[in-house]
Amino acid sequence: MVDERDRPTALVEGIGETGIARIQASRVLVVGCGGLGSPVLAYLAAAGVGTIGVSDPDRVEVSNLQRQVIHPAHRLGEVKAHSAALTIRALNPHLRVQVEEGITPDNARHVLSGYDVIVDATDNFEAKYLLSDTCRDLARPLVWGTLVGMTYQVSVFAEGISLRSLYPAPPPLGTTPTSRTDGVLGAVCGQAGSTMATEVVKILTGAGRPLIGSLLIVDAAQGSWNVVTLATHRKDLT
């Protein structure tokens, strides 16, 4: 039987008790415990995901606090993965949390293979392409997101579709806007991360239709949401 904590989720169409059981049995790795990773981790922990892996070797800085809401001010200087683990354990003491080392080309296959779904909440192209390429090779679904200023994009890469189906190669350094050049609004991180957490739950439970083969583009400044179908007939360029 579903307990009172999970009952509101179980009542959602397409989830039910079977979906709750799938969530509780699942293993999800979130790479990046910053602006996107904060809401993803909070909502997955509250949803009852059985095992959550966290990976982020960076340390909490003052400039992070306006958007990385999983880190309280008294944890300044701490490794983000460790700080995130403390917070989500407090949110849900029943879940299992695994702090993973930083993901590198040497350990990516080993670490990612231990999880059912991977979440890319990183902020650099090197990490994003490494995660996408590895998930494609391992046949693991990847929930992907990126954000600058007040705009963000979210997609799910699975079934042979990867980041290279959308962007065949990383852009030249310095040719695209970043949070360092264009800033980022904390509340928009919340929107994007919540969307990514929703995609994870959809994948785990089978509810709804995940954004596989589709790209969600949101301009929060204009209040516009668009879903673009990817040209999935293209072959990955690797």
Side-chain angles (χ1 to χ4, degrees):
M1 292 290 293
V2 172
D3 63 28
E4 288 305 309
R5 179 188 181 96
D6 298 316
R7 188 170 302 281
T9 303
L11 293 173
V12 175
E13 182 178 356
I15 295 183
E17 294 192 16
T18 299
I20 293 296
R22 290 174 177 171
I23 292 172
Q24 293 174 341
S26 67
R27 297 173 56 86
V28 178
L29 173 64
V30 179
V31 185
C33 302
L36 291 175
S38 288
V40 171
L41 285 164
Y43 278 110
L44 293 183
V49 169
T51 300
I52 297 179
V54 291
S55 177
D56 193 328
D58 292 344
R59 294 183 180 271
V60 181
E61 301 177 0
V62 172
S63 62
N64 302 151
L65 299 181
Q66 53 84 240
R67 65 192 183 281
Q68 300 182 18
V69 294
I70 208 164
H71 308 296
H74 69 265
R75 295 205 195 117
L76 287 173
E78 291 191 19
V79 173
K80 288 183 181 179
H82 292 287
S83 173
L86 289 172
T87 299
I88 61 176
R89 284 192 183 107
L91 285 170
N92 183 357
H94 302 294
L95 63 79
R96 294 177 296 278
V97 184
Q98 294 184 193
V99 176
E100 302 286 0
E101 58 187 316
I103 307 302
T104 68
D106 292 331
N107 68 17
R109 287 184 64 90
H110 173 71
V111 176
L112 271 58
S113 64
Y115 293 89
D116 304 310
V117 179
I118 316 300
V119 178
D120 176 3
T122 64
D123 62 358
N124 65 85
F125 289 113
E126 182 180 4
K128 288 186 175 298
Y129 279 86
L130 174 60
L131 291 174
S132 179
D133 291 345
T134 305
C135 284
R136 179 201 56 196
D137 293 345
L138 293 173
R140 295 291 193 276
L142 175 68
V143 177
W144 171 90
T146 186
L147 180 149
V148 175
M150 294 178 68
T151 62
Y152 64 89
Q153 300 176 10
V154 174
S155 188
V156 175
F157 299 131
E159 300 175 4
I161 303 168
S162 77
L163 178 58
R164 294 184 188 275
S165 304
L166 177 61
Y167 302 116
L173 188 65
T175 61
T176 59
T178 68
S179 60
R180 294 185 181 276
T181 61
D182 288 39
V184 59
L185 183 62
V188 180
C189 292
Q191 291 184 37
S194 298
T195 300
M196 294 168 71
T198 301
E199 292 302 306
V200 173
V201 172
K202 287 159 62 177
I203 293 168
L204 295 177
T205 64
R209 185 178 67 180
L211 286 167
I212 300 172
S214 298
L215 175 68
L216 171 66
I217 304 172
V218 177
D219 182 343
Q222 302 301 320
S224 65
W225 293 59
N226 295 293
V227 177
V228 177
T229 300
L230 302 182
T232 56
H233 62 279
R234 290 173 50 180
K235 298 295 184 181
D236 285 348
L237 303 182
T238 55

